[in-house]
Amino acid sequence: MIDFQEFTLDNGLRVLVHQDISVPMVTVNVLYDVGSRDEDEQKTGFAHLFEHLMFGGSVNIPFYDEPLQRVGGENNAFTSPDITNYYISLPAENLETAFWLESDRMLSLSFDPKVLEVQRKVVIEEYKQNYLNQPYGDATIKLKELAYTVHPYRWPTIGRTIQHIEDATLDDVKAFFHKFYVPNNAVLVVAGNVELETVKQLSKKWFGSIAAGEKYRRHLPAEPPQREKRQLEVIADVPVHAIYKAYHMPGRLHASYYTADLLSDLLGRSKSSRLYTQLVKKQELFSGINSYITGAIDPGLLVIQGKLNPGVSLEEVDQAIDSVVQEIQQGSVKEEELQKVKNQAESSIIFAEMELLNRAMNLAYATILGDPNLVNRESEMIQAVTTQQIQQAAREILHDSNASTVYYIPRHNGKA
Amino acid sequence: MIIDRTIAPPSQPIREVNLVEATTKYLSNGIPVHMIQAGKQPVLGIELLFRNGGIKHEALTGACFFTIKMLAEGTSSKTAFDISEYVDKYGAFLQLSPGVDYSSVDIYCLSKYAKELLQLLSELTSDPTFPEEELLKFKTIQQQRLKVNNEKPSVLASKKMKSVLFGSDHPYGRSMDAEDIERITSADLLSFYQDNLYAGFEIIVSGDVNEEVLLAIDQYFGKQPVAPKLHIQNGMPPFSPADGKKHIIEKPDSLQSSVRIGMPLFTKTHPDYHQVRLVNTILGGYFGSRLMKNIREERGLTYGINSGIVMHQEAGYFIIGTDVKKEFTQLVIDEVYKEIQQLRNELVDEVELITVKNYMAGRLLSSVDTPFALAEKFKNIYLYGLDYDFYKKYLNAINTIDADSIRETAEKYFVASQMKEVVVGGYA
């Protein structure tokens, strides 16, 4: 149970307070309701590049990090297809420093051209380090490109190509800031050793005078239902064969979201899962296999991915995955097995809530989903899933014409 | 209300850090149980700590790794599947961690299932069977994993640096290769188990530690036979660092170079440890470090560069790591040495000094906020022959060190001529 209180400033900034006096710290989390799904398809990777620029100094404060470190704080941020999230952790008595820093960069950035030039290079190196210079590093990029035809989830948050990052201009930066980085498009969560009244007073003082922006209305193209299976073969400098399969599934707020989530757990969350038991342990086709969902707000993907053992063919393992799936479609998941993955999901929630930061981030995320109290209803929604629903979801989601499959084949296909 | 946004709000330094300390009691058979009662969530971390079960204690490369990992692959009454299903059924997490100096087996669970998981933990560690057919499967998995890891530049670079600093046969320097994996047998595991794991562990329990949990621990671990007194085996062969300064693994098609620069250091018990840690932080230990500012924030040559100190029980080392744009590999290495030289020659200014001090104190404060983190804090002193004074001294060293002693520390310990370089990728 995460308890919280909330209020909204006149400029539309939503503020939530979660008190935990057992810790000496506070977490200040600012979530902007913008992700890579909101990008222009000719300017992908921009939400993430912009996140880097948020650390390059604001209108009244030349350096963001240093004043925070000077009061014992630390910060970071991440960008996803759906959101951009910034967080600070600092000693409770120095809370106001976080308000000062976060409000100034919401008020205005410095828009220093040098910052753009340097961060552009940094992001290109990040792109290489994480996606291009790693075996299978671009696998999920290729998988999403295949699975989505019109929805912006088809490009990765880091950007579709390095070219887009190279082409970004300062005008793009300013336009993006004025469109998305406004108080009425953000959620502020303050968690930890703090009083509601303090947060009210500090919020008014530091954020109250920031002007509201025009409300951003999201009109994203809906991904049409997939009608036939898609397949891509990638020949790459990888040491072993690998397979990636993606199936379209409902979005975050759909009634059967948690059913699909548990279905992916049953398939491939841990070592007692169906895929691992059947295909790694019994049939020895894979050296590892797992399944997960992308967890997106708009309709997302259920992914199955695995690396093959020597001497095993991709066609063979693809069929073997289908057989495991078919058993579930025929209703082989009984109460006890479902209860197992529910227990895993439930304890994961409890373990995650040990961290103050997770509580703060979850509250902010639930708020943009429409109701902060969703954080406290997750367990209930997981427990409500039935074996019949699992069977139905397996039939609706895990069929061939809903599947996109990427095969990775080693370029030097010697001894496999 | 008009506010001056150019002025930082008032702030306070961190004067003390209160951390919950472990208390130790002994089971009827003498096994020590270290308890950390903390946190609000109904969760428990239970760790069996094998102080003679590290890689440095193995006679055959891979024996420690495979024995620890195979503890969950079969007992007299449970198959590998039974074990994983049992863990998952209770929503628990089993962690099998082989390590260079010691190894551990951890269970994280909801405290209401403590009994069930203690029973499992006891079975895994008192009655493993190391089944032949599971070992064969596990070896295949490890061979495949090794192939993939050996394609990752950062993995290759870190492995290479270890072997350059300590020697490719030394326990702190070696890595398992395909032949090591091929060679290992069930009999090797059984013998490592009997000699190094059986009847030779301590227990650390953290989180919602109540009377019932303690009774259950005694029930499952207090009656089994133990060695009269655990004799901790230390001592290791001399280091055999590689000759030469520059070590390269060529990757002509690579877009970046993964670079490591390292040198051996003393251990955590050394009186200058805290000071060296602080110099390291200034150089490359946080986001605002000199290396980050120079290589990332000024030049944009990398996504990240950092330096760290790795402390084993019997030796330590200092290491800088980064992945950089390939054609700038040598430039980055040169800049690293320039930054080190500057720390040795010039005094740190007041602003930077205060920033680093408060940053480090803040990290200490935030690193003790979960029971599992507190258990780590305990291990970090206990296994190195230190006590909780270590953290007081750390905070005190941070708060009192001045620019002169920082420069002296840098001059004494950060010696470029003693540093070795590893490059995976190329210089152009």
Side-chain angles (χ1 to χ4, degrees), chain A residues 19 25 63 77 81 133 156 158 191 215 275 300 320 327 376 378 405:
Chain A
Q19 191 181 51
M25 309 290 292
F63 303 103
N133 216 31
I158 189 80
K215 180 71 193 156
L275 290 168
E327 285 177 17
N376 294 318
E378 207 176 358
T405 305

Side-chain angles (χ1 to χ4, degrees), chain A residues 94-160:
Chain A
N94 295 337
L95 172 64
E96 190 162 4
T97 305
F99 273 87
W100 171 59
L101 288 165
E102 284 303 339
S103 64
D104 203 53
R105 65 179 177 177
M106 189 185 287
L107 182 65
S108 180
L109 291 183
S110 65
F111 300 117
D112 177 351
K114 197 201 164 199
V115 172
L116 175 61
E117 287 326 303
V118 169
Q119 291 308 315
R120 190 201 304 282
K121 292 186 196 167
V122 168
V123 169
I124 290 169
E125 293 309 306
E126 178 181 0
Y127 203 126
K128 291 185 201 161
Q129 185 179 329
N130 292 341
Y131 300 90
L132 304 180
N133 216 31
Q134 296 293 335
Y136 318 98
D138 55 359
T140 54
I141 296 183
K142 293 191 184 299
L143 189 65
K144 286 180 181 176
E145 227 167 48
L146 191 65
Y148 289 102
T149 56
V150 302
H151 191 282
Y153 286 165
R154 70 186 190 278
W155 60 76
T157 302
I158 189 80
R160 183 189 292 153

Side-chain angles (χ1 to χ4, degrees), chain B residues 256-313:
Chain B
Q256 293 180 316
S257 286
S258 202
V259 178
R260 300 288 181 276
I261 298 175
M263 65 170 181
L265 266 185
F266 46 64
T267 65
K268 236 189 255 188
T269 52
H270 192 281
D272 291 342
Y273 169 77
H274 300 305
Q275 286 76 4
V276 168
R277 176 130 237 145
L278 192 131
V279 174
N280 171 69
T281 304
I282 297 172
L283 178 65
Y286 73 126
F287 198 91
S289 72
R290 293 186 175 190
L291 289 176
M292 275 295 263
K293 279 194 177 134
N294 180 338
I295 312 296
R296 175 178 146 137
E297 296 299 313
E298 285 295 318
R299 297 170 200 263
L301 298 179
T302 182
Y303 179 45
I305 179 164
N306 50 63
S307 67
I309 292 171
V310 180
M311 286 285 136
H312 296 317
Q313 280 178 338

Side-chain angles (χ1 to χ4, degrees), chain A residues 18-25 48 52 55 60-61 65-67 69-74 89-94 96-97 99-100 103-104 107 114 118-119 121-126 128-130 132-136 201 204-210 237-241 269-273 276-277 280-282 284 286-288 307-310 336-337 339-341 343-344 346-348 350-351 353-356 359 415-416, chain B residues 1 3-15 40-44 69 72-73 80-81 84-93 96 108-110 113 133-134 136-138 140-142 144-145 147-149 151-154 253-258 286-289 293 295-304 322-327 351-352 354-363 365-366 368-372:
Chain A
H18 162 67
Q19 191 181 51
D20 178 354
I21 56 163
S22 72
V23 294
M25 309 290 292
H48 169 255
H52 278 246
F55 295 92
N60 296 299
I61 309 171
D65 290 292
E66 209 171 70
Q69 288 150 356
R70 205 180 307 150
V71 302
E74 189 171 57
S89 163
L90 81 171
E93 53 269 36
N94 295 337
E96 190 162 4
T97 305
F99 273 87
W100 171 59
S103 64
D104 203 53
L107 182 65
K114 197 201 164 199
V118 169
Q119 291 308 315
K121 292 186 196 167
V122 168
V123 169
I124 290 169
E125 293 309 306
E126 178 181 0
K128 291 185 201 161
Q129 185 179 329
N130 292 341
L132 304 180
N133 216 31
Q134 296 293 335
Y136 318 98
Q201 181 239 323
K204 274 193 201 114
K205 175 175 174 187
W206 292 103
F207 287 94
S209 60
I210 302 173
D237 288 319
V238 292
V240 304
H241 289 79
R269 175 181 171 134
S270 60
K271 285 174 80 182
S272 74
S273 66
Y276 194 90
T277 309
V280 176
K281 286 294 203 176
K282 286 213 176 104
E284 298 180 51
F286 285 94
S287 63
K307 295 204 172 68
L308 277 59
N309 272 338
E336 195 185 350
E337 191 180 355
Q339 195 56 51
K340 178 191 75 178
V341 290
N343 291 351
Q344 286 181 289
E346 181 138 22
S347 72
S348 295
I350 296 173
F351 280 107
E353 285 179 4
M354 293 174 74
E355 310 270 348
L356 187 61
R359 281 176 260 157
K415 288 172 286 176
Chain B
M1 182 175 16
I3 42 175
D4 185 349
R5 290 183 178 270
T6 61
I7 297 169
S11 62
Q12 292 168 37
I14 297 157
R15 290 195 188 83
K40 294 198 301 187
Q41 273 78 15
V43 298
L44 274 180
K69 290 290 186 190
E73 297 297 318
F81 175 73
S84 56
E85 198 185 42
Y86 189 102
V87 172
D88 293 346
K89 186 171 73 181
Y90 291 107
F93 302 93
L96 302 160
Y108 298 97
C109 66
L110 302 185
Y113 300 131
E133 70 279 10
E134 295 297 342
L136 284 176
K137 290 179 207 169
F138 189 65
T140 308
I141 292 172
Q142 291 311 313
Q144 294 298 89
R145 196 165 287 175
K147 283 183 213 162
V148 173
N149 280 335
E151 293 295 320
K152 296 180 181 164
S154 60
D253 299 331
S254 186
L255 300 168
Q256 293 180 316
S257 286
S258 202
Y286 73 126
F287 198 91
S289 72
K293 279 194 177 134
I295 312 296
R296 175 178 146 137
E297 296 299 313
E298 285 295 318
R299 297 170 200 263
L301 298 179
T302 182
Y303 179 45
T322 183
D323 292 76
V324 299
K325 207 170 175 177
K326 206 168 166 189
E327 54 267 45
V351 172
E352 186 179 12
I354 289 172
T355 302
V356 157
K357 285 177 169 198
N358 287 342
Y359 171 79
M360 289 178 80
R363 287 316 88 204
L365 192 67
S366 72
V368 295
D369 62 351
T370 71
F372 304 154

